[in-house]
Amino acid sequence: MAHPTFQMNMIFGNLPPTLLELLNNHIILALVVPFLPTTSLLSLSSTSRAFRSLIFITYPQYTFRRLDLSTLPFPFIFGQINSKEVLTGAGATRQLTESEDDYYAAPLRRAFYILKKKEVLDCVTTLILDGLAVPAGLVREILCDRPFNVRILSLRNVKNLGDEKLIQILRYLIRPTRPEGTPKLKALYYFTRPESRTLPHSEPSHLESTPEQPVGVTNIAGSHLGQRPSSNQAILHDTTWTNGKGTLFHPDPSTIQAWVQLLEASRGIITFDTIICHHAPGSLLPPKLATIALGNSGCQTCHTAPEGPRILGQTPAQDLPLLSPPPLFASTVKAAQYPAHGETSIFYARCAECVRDRRCERCNVWWCEDCYTPPKKTRQNDASGDMRLVFIQRAKKRT
């Protein structure tokens, strides 16, 4: 008996392949899925049993490898389940206590519980939780317990998570007595700002639709691959270590030294989206977190820096930060450190102390220690008796 597809081709001629036939090719599926929001993927799985089987059973290692929950409407997508039936470290069910952390972690725990029931939670190797409520207890479960298998975790601008608690969890992960092959986590986004998204000026209602407006999976952002932004969309461009200049984040002064010690202890184990600034050679300043991207042109005068630039492929990977956004097609540190298309692979990065009084915050031009010494500020009394600042310029010749 002839194959059904062959019979259809005999009747209707050579028809183009359907979407289901295209996505059944795992290579095409792996290239398409990273560009689809999680809402689109779940909507597609609800259209038919064939798509649901393809997404949840046949190729979950491709469809759920990179899971972005930062924009997911949990009540609408995951539905309502018993609020006391949640995922714990041992994978069992327990009674929620009335603590604040449990309250804020409930939406994510419900999502993880359903993904575990569908046996796809262990396929998630890149997990993005930017801007969500992620208490320390939930972070510990993600990083330490089964069935989580997260290699790259993004916790940028999360709520209900303090620096001190996160530092304690990470210190536990990299302890000298940790089991062989641990930790699973290789990259952590925490310091920099999340990349902005394409935001429509007028957001359509989820409950109402007009005849002129398409509905269903084709009306969800990201479903039309390769489509140019329309006039009613605003594209917001981001600043990262390699594509711009300026301050990328402001660390908490009370935890800077703790973070520096952690980054030094995590060298070669966990990579972060910032690096340690050791300052210029001969500096007496203690190491700090690099917070300012200085572009790729170097000092305004000598076009370099005493410590030299950071160059992808030449600088050790342990001395390079993770670049935004988290990688689409691989859950590795190498992919997370590779600049996007059109961005330079050479950049300079320093802390605020290194460029104090030697950088214009408006035009982001800066000078290194060999080319410019800031004027010394002293106080003197003038004839009127007022206290004024007198700047004494000290010229220093380049050696």
PDB file of all heavy atoms in Angstrom, residues 10 47 49 70 77 90 95 138 140 168 193 209 228 234 240 255 292 340 358 362-363 375 394:
ATOM      1  N   MET A  10       0.270  12.465  -5.320  1.00  0.00           N
ATOM      2  CA  MET A  10      -0.299  12.038  -6.599  1.00  0.00           C
ATOM      3  C   MET A  10      -1.582  12.821  -6.900  1.00  0.00           C
ATOM      4  O   MET A  10      -1.882  13.105  -8.074  1.00  0.00           O
ATOM      5  CB  MET A  10      -0.583  10.538  -6.560  1.00  0.00           C
ATOM      6  CG  MET A  10       0.668   9.666  -6.552  1.00  0.00           C
ATOM      7  SD  MET A  10       1.576   9.735  -8.115  1.00  0.00           S
ATOM      8  CE  MET A  10       0.391   8.944  -9.212  1.00  0.00           C
ATOM      9  N   THR A  47      -1.695  22.720  19.952  1.00  0.00           N
ATOM     10  CA  THR A  47      -2.487  22.713  18.729  1.00  0.00           C
ATOM     11  C   THR A  47      -2.877  21.302  18.293  1.00  0.00           C
ATOM     12  O   THR A  47      -3.921  21.123  17.663  1.00  0.00           O
ATOM     13  CB  THR A  47      -1.716  23.398  17.591  1.00  0.00           C
ATOM     14  OG1 THR A  47      -0.446  22.736  17.408  1.00  0.00           O
ATOM     15  CG2 THR A  47      -1.473  24.868  17.919  1.00  0.00           C
ATOM     16  N   ARG A  49      -1.953  16.708  18.948  1.00  0.00           N
ATOM     17  CA  ARG A  49      -1.186  15.675  19.648  1.00  0.00           C
ATOM     18  C   ARG A  49       0.168  15.464  18.998  1.00  0.00           C
ATOM     19  O   ARG A  49       1.152  15.126  19.680  1.00  0.00           O
ATOM     20  CB  ARG A  49      -1.980  14.369  19.649  1.00  0.00           C
ATOM     21  CG  ARG A  49      -3.243  14.406  20.505  1.00  0.00           C
ATOM     22  CD  ARG A  49      -3.932  13.065  20.509  1.00  0.00           C
ATOM     23  NE  ARG A  49      -5.125  13.077  21.360  1.00  0.00           N
ATOM     24  CZ  ARG A  49      -5.925  12.044  21.534  1.00  0.00           C
ATOM     25  NH1 ARG A  49      -5.662  10.887  20.914  1.00  0.00           N
ATOM     26  NH2 ARG A  49      -6.992  12.145  22.324  1.00  0.00           N
ATOM     27  N   SER A  70      11.418  34.229  32.165  1.00  0.00           N
ATOM     28  CA  SER A  70      11.358  35.598  32.661  1.00  0.00           C
ATOM     29  C   SER A  70      10.116  36.345  32.190  1.00  0.00           C
ATOM     30  O   SER A  70       9.707  37.319  32.820  1.00  0.00           O
ATOM     31  CB  SER A  70      12.609  36.372  32.227  1.00  0.00           C
ATOM     32  OG  SER A  70      12.735  36.387  30.808  1.00  0.00           O
ATOM     33  N   ILE A  77      -0.309  29.860  31.603  1.00  0.00           N
ATOM     34  CA  ILE A  77       0.377  28.832  30.843  1.00  0.00           C
ATOM     35  C   ILE A  77       0.408  27.506  31.589  1.00  0.00           C
ATOM     36  O   ILE A  77       0.111  26.451  31.030  1.00  0.00           O
ATOM     37  CB  ILE A  77       1.811  29.276  30.505  1.00  0.00           C
ATOM     38  CG1 ILE A  77       1.760  30.530  29.619  1.00  0.00           C
ATOM     39  CG2 ILE A  77       2.574  28.173  29.816  1.00  0.00           C
ATOM     40  CD1 ILE A  77       1.043  30.321  28.312  1.00  0.00           C
ATOM     41  N   ALA A  90      14.254  16.496  46.942  1.00  0.00           N
ATOM     42  CA  ALA A  90      14.162  15.051  46.781  1.00  0.00           C
ATOM     43  C   ALA A  90      13.136  14.660  45.744  1.00  0.00           C
ATOM     44  O   ALA A  90      12.977  13.485  45.445  1.00  0.00           O
ATOM     45  CB  ALA A  90      13.812  14.400  48.119  1.00  0.00           C
ATOM     46  N   GLN A  95       4.266  19.723  52.482  1.00  0.00           N
ATOM     47  CA  GLN A  95       3.352  20.780  52.860  1.00  0.00           C
ATOM     48  C   GLN A  95       4.133  22.086  52.960  1.00  0.00           C
ATOM     49  O   GLN A  95       5.141  22.169  53.639  1.00  0.00           O
ATOM     50  CB  GLN A  95       2.708  20.463  54.223  1.00  0.00           C
ATOM     51  CG  GLN A  95       1.885  19.203  54.231  1.00  0.00           C
ATOM     52  CD  GLN A  95       0.650  19.350  53.351  1.00  0.00           C
ATOM     53  OE1 GLN A  95       0.022  20.389  53.335  1.00  0.00           O
ATOM     54  NE2 GLN A  95       0.322  18.318  52.632  1.00  0.00           N
ATOM     55  N   LEU A 138      15.204  28.333  46.661  1.00  0.00           N
ATOM     56  CA  LEU A 138      14.950  27.809  45.320  1.00  0.00           C
ATOM     57  C   LEU A 138      16.234  27.771  44.502  1.00  0.00           C
ATOM     58  O   LEU A 138      16.450  26.830  43.716  1.00  0.00           O
ATOM     59  CB  LEU A 138      13.901  28.677  44.618  1.00  0.00           C
ATOM     60  CG  LEU A 138      13.434  28.199  43.244  1.00  0.00           C
ATOM     61  CD1 LEU A 138      12.843  26.796  43.323  1.00  0.00           C
ATOM     62  CD2 LEU A 138      12.414  29.168  42.661  1.00  0.00           C
ATOM     63  N   ARG A 140      19.186  27.227  45.703  1.00  0.00           N
ATOM     64  CA  ARG A 140      19.931  26.063  46.184  1.00  0.00           C
ATOM     65  C   ARG A 140      19.398  24.781  45.565  1.00  0.00           C
ATOM     66  O   ARG A 140      20.181  23.902  45.178  1.00  0.00           O
ATOM     67  CB  ARG A 140      19.831  25.983  47.719  1.00  0.00           C
ATOM     68  CG  ARG A 140      20.662  24.869  48.326  1.00  0.00           C
ATOM     69  CD  ARG A 140      20.230  24.575  49.735  1.00  0.00           C
ATOM     70  NE  ARG A 140      18.833  24.159  49.794  1.00  0.00           N
ATOM     71  CZ  ARG A 140      18.422  22.932  49.481  1.00  0.00           C
ATOM     72  NH1 ARG A 140      19.284  22.016  49.075  1.00  0.00           N
ATOM     73  NH2 ARG A 140      17.147  22.628  49.565  1.00  0.00           N
ATOM     74  N   GLN A 168      26.850  32.530  49.855  1.00  0.00           N
ATOM     75  CA  GLN A 168      26.945  31.318  50.667  1.00  0.00           C
ATOM     76  C   GLN A 168      26.668  30.063  49.840  1.00  0.00           C
ATOM     77  O   GLN A 168      27.373  29.046  49.976  1.00  0.00           O
ATOM     78  CB  GLN A 168      25.966  31.408  51.838  1.00  0.00           C
ATOM     79  CG  GLN A 168      26.332  32.455  52.882  1.00  0.00           C
ATOM     80  CD  GLN A 168      25.289  32.557  53.983  1.00  0.00           C
ATOM     81  OE1 GLN A 168      24.292  31.841  53.977  1.00  0.00           O
ATOM     82  NE2 GLN A 168      25.501  33.462  54.926  1.00  0.00           N
ATOM     83  N   ARG A 193      22.770  44.037  33.510  1.00  0.00           N
ATOM     84  CA  ARG A 193      21.339  44.191  33.270  1.00  0.00           C
ATOM     85  C   ARG A 193      20.863  43.205  32.208  1.00  0.00           C
ATOM     86  O   ARG A 193      21.591  42.915  31.252  1.00  0.00           O
ATOM     87  CB  ARG A 193      21.026  45.625  32.830  1.00  0.00           C
ATOM     88  CG  ARG A 193      21.278  46.674  33.894  1.00  0.00           C
ATOM     89  CD  ARG A 193      20.844  48.042  33.399  1.00  0.00           C
ATOM     90  NE  ARG A 193      21.691  48.494  32.300  1.00  0.00           N
ATOM     91  CZ  ARG A 193      22.767  49.243  32.451  1.00  0.00           C
ATOM     92  NH1 ARG A 193      23.143  49.607  33.662  1.00  0.00           N
ATOM     93  NH2 ARG A 193      23.472  49.632  31.423  1.00  0.00           N
ATOM     94  N   SER A 209     -10.259  39.292  20.435  1.00  0.00           N
ATOM     95  CA  SER A 209      -9.615  39.371  19.140  1.00  0.00           C
ATOM     96  C   SER A 209     -10.627  39.907  18.145  1.00  0.00           C
ATOM     97  O   SER A 209     -11.834  39.734  18.285  1.00  0.00           O
ATOM     98  CB  SER A 209      -9.103  38.000  18.695  1.00  0.00           C
ATOM     99  OG  SER A 209     -10.171  37.093  18.593  1.00  0.00           O
ATOM    100  N   ARG A 228      10.880  41.583   9.745  1.00  0.00           N
ATOM    101  CA  ARG A 228      11.431  42.856  10.189  1.00  0.00           C
ATOM    102  C   ARG A 228      10.503  43.526  11.206  1.00  0.00           C
ATOM    103  O   ARG A 228       9.292  43.367  11.115  1.00  0.00           O
ATOM    104  CB  ARG A 228      11.642  43.799   8.998  1.00  0.00           C
ATOM    105  CG  ARG A 228      12.746  43.320   8.057  1.00  0.00           C
ATOM    106  CD  ARG A 228      12.955  44.330   6.945  1.00  0.00           C
ATOM    107  NE  ARG A 228      14.037  43.902   6.073  1.00  0.00           N
ATOM    108  CZ  ARG A 228      15.310  44.163   6.282  1.00  0.00           C
ATOM    109  NH1 ARG A 228      15.657  44.832   7.356  1.00  0.00           N
ATOM    110  NH2 ARG A 228      16.242  43.749   5.450  1.00  0.00           N
ATOM    111  N   ALA A 234       9.379  48.998  19.245  1.00  0.00           N
ATOM    112  CA  ALA A 234      10.574  49.753  19.599  1.00  0.00           C
ATOM    113  C   ALA A 234      11.678  48.778  19.947  1.00  0.00           C
ATOM    114  O   ALA A 234      11.528  47.956  20.841  1.00  0.00           O
ATOM    115  CB  ALA A 234      10.303  50.677  20.780  1.00  0.00           C
ATOM    116  N   THR A 240      26.963  45.971  26.394  1.00  0.00           N
ATOM    117  CA  THR A 240      27.683  44.873  27.028  1.00  0.00           C
ATOM    118  C   THR A 240      29.165  45.228  27.065  1.00  0.00           C
ATOM    119  O   THR A 240      29.578  46.324  26.685  1.00  0.00           O
ATOM    120  CB  THR A 240      27.468  43.555  26.270  1.00  0.00           C
ATOM    121  OG1 THR A 240      28.016  43.677  24.941  1.00  0.00           O
ATOM    122  CG2 THR A 240      25.979  43.241  26.154  1.00  0.00           C
ATOM    123  N   THR A 255      29.248  44.182  49.899  1.00  0.00           N
ATOM    124  CA  THR A 255      29.553  42.801  49.494  1.00  0.00           C
ATOM    125  C   THR A 255      30.603  42.722  48.386  1.00  0.00           C
ATOM    126  O   THR A 255      30.841  41.637  47.866  1.00  0.00           O
ATOM    127  CB  THR A 255      28.274  42.094  49.023  1.00  0.00           C
ATOM    128  OG1 THR A 255      27.694  42.824  47.928  1.00  0.00           O
ATOM    129  CG2 THR A 255      27.264  41.992  50.149  1.00  0.00           C
ATOM    130  N   ILE A 292      32.910  48.972  34.612  1.00  0.00           N
ATOM    131  CA  ILE A 292      32.832  49.938  33.513  1.00  0.00           C
ATOM    132  C   ILE A 292      33.413  49.331  32.244  1.00  0.00           C
ATOM    133  O   ILE A 292      34.556  48.851  32.235  1.00  0.00           O
ATOM    134  CB  ILE A 292      33.580  51.237  33.871  1.00  0.00           C
ATOM    135  CG1 ILE A 292      32.989  51.845  35.140  1.00  0.00           C
ATOM    136  CG2 ILE A 292      33.535  52.225  32.723  1.00  0.00           C
ATOM    137  CD1 ILE A 292      33.711  53.082  35.622  1.00  0.00           C
ATOM    138  N   ALA A 340      28.519  38.713  19.956  1.00  0.00           N
ATOM    139  CA  ALA A 340      27.498  38.625  18.917  1.00  0.00           C
ATOM    140  C   ALA A 340      28.042  39.128  17.595  1.00  0.00           C
ATOM    141  O   ALA A 340      29.108  39.765  17.519  1.00  0.00           O
ATOM    142  CB  ALA A 340      26.267  39.429  19.335  1.00  0.00           C
ATOM    143  N   ARG A 358      39.727  60.393  35.667  1.00  0.00           N
ATOM    144  CA  ARG A 358      40.439  60.202  34.392  1.00  0.00           C
ATOM    145  C   ARG A 358      39.507  59.715  33.294  1.00  0.00           C
ATOM    146  O   ARG A 358      39.959  59.193  32.285  1.00  0.00           O
ATOM    147  CB  ARG A 358      41.598  59.211  34.573  1.00  0.00           C
ATOM    148  CG  ARG A 358      42.766  59.783  35.359  1.00  0.00           C
ATOM    149  CD  ARG A 358      43.981  58.885  35.384  1.00  0.00           C
ATOM    150  NE  ARG A 358      43.754  57.686  36.180  1.00  0.00           N
ATOM    151  CZ  ARG A 358      43.507  56.501  35.676  1.00  0.00           C
ATOM    152  NH1 ARG A 358      43.428  56.340  34.377  1.00  0.00           N
ATOM    153  NH2 ARG A 358      43.313  55.469  36.464  1.00  0.00           N
ATOM    154  N   ARG A 362      30.388  61.594  30.238  1.00  0.00           N
ATOM    155  CA  ARG A 362      29.455  61.950  29.175  1.00  0.00           C
ATOM    156  C   ARG A 362      29.860  61.355  27.835  1.00  0.00           C
ATOM    157  O   ARG A 362      29.032  60.768  27.136  1.00  0.00           O
ATOM    158  CB  ARG A 362      29.352  63.476  29.059  1.00  0.00           C
ATOM    159  CG  ARG A 362      28.379  63.922  27.977  1.00  0.00           C
ATOM    160  CD  ARG A 362      28.055  65.392  28.099  1.00  0.00           C
ATOM    161  NE  ARG A 362      27.085  65.804  27.093  1.00  0.00           N
ATOM    162  CZ  ARG A 362      26.517  66.996  27.047  1.00  0.00           C
ATOM    163  NH1 ARG A 362      26.840  67.902  27.950  1.00  0.00           N
ATOM    164  NH2 ARG A 362      25.646  67.285  26.100  1.00  0.00           N
ATOM    165  N   CYS A 363      31.110  61.499  27.455  1.00  0.00           N
ATOM    166  CA  CYS A 363      31.564  60.967  26.166  1.00  0.00           C
ATOM    167  C   CYS A 363      32.342  59.668  26.312  1.00  0.00           C
ATOM    168  O   CYS A 363      32.764  59.085  25.301  1.00  0.00           O
ATOM    169  CB  CYS A 363      32.403  61.999  25.426  1.00  0.00           C
ATOM    170  SG  CYS A 363      33.883  62.525  26.324  1.00  0.00           S
ATOM    171  N   PRO A 375      44.589  65.964  38.818  1.00  0.00           N
ATOM    172  CA  PRO A 375      45.102  67.035  39.683  1.00  0.00           C
ATOM    173  C   PRO A 375      44.843  66.732  41.145  1.00  0.00           C
ATOM    174  O   PRO A 375      43.837  66.121  41.502  1.00  0.00           O
ATOM    175  CB  PRO A 375      44.317  68.266  39.228  1.00  0.00           C
ATOM    176  CG  PRO A 375      43.078  67.712  38.605  1.00  0.00           C
ATOM    177  CD  PRO A 375      43.480  66.402  37.977  1.00  0.00           C
ATOM    178  N   ARG A 394      49.802  68.514  38.116  1.00  0.00           N
ATOM    179  CA  ARG A 394      51.144  67.923  38.120  1.00  0.00           C
ATOM    180  C   ARG A 394      51.371  67.245  36.785  1.00  0.00           C
ATOM    181  O   ARG A 394      50.683  66.280  36.433  1.00  0.00           O
ATOM    182  CB  ARG A 394      51.288  66.913  39.244  1.00  0.00           C
ATOM    183  CG  ARG A 394      51.129  67.524  40.636  1.00  0.00           C
ATOM    184  CD  ARG A 394      51.398  66.490  41.703  1.00  0.00           C
ATOM    185  NE  ARG A 394      50.562  65.311  41.541  1.00  0.00           N
ATOM    186  CZ  ARG A 394      50.718  64.208  42.226  1.00  0.00           C
ATOM    187  NH1 ARG A 394      51.696  64.101  43.098  1.00  0.00           N
ATOM    188  NH2 ARG A 394      49.901  63.181  42.018  1.00  0.00           N
TER     189      ARG A 394
END
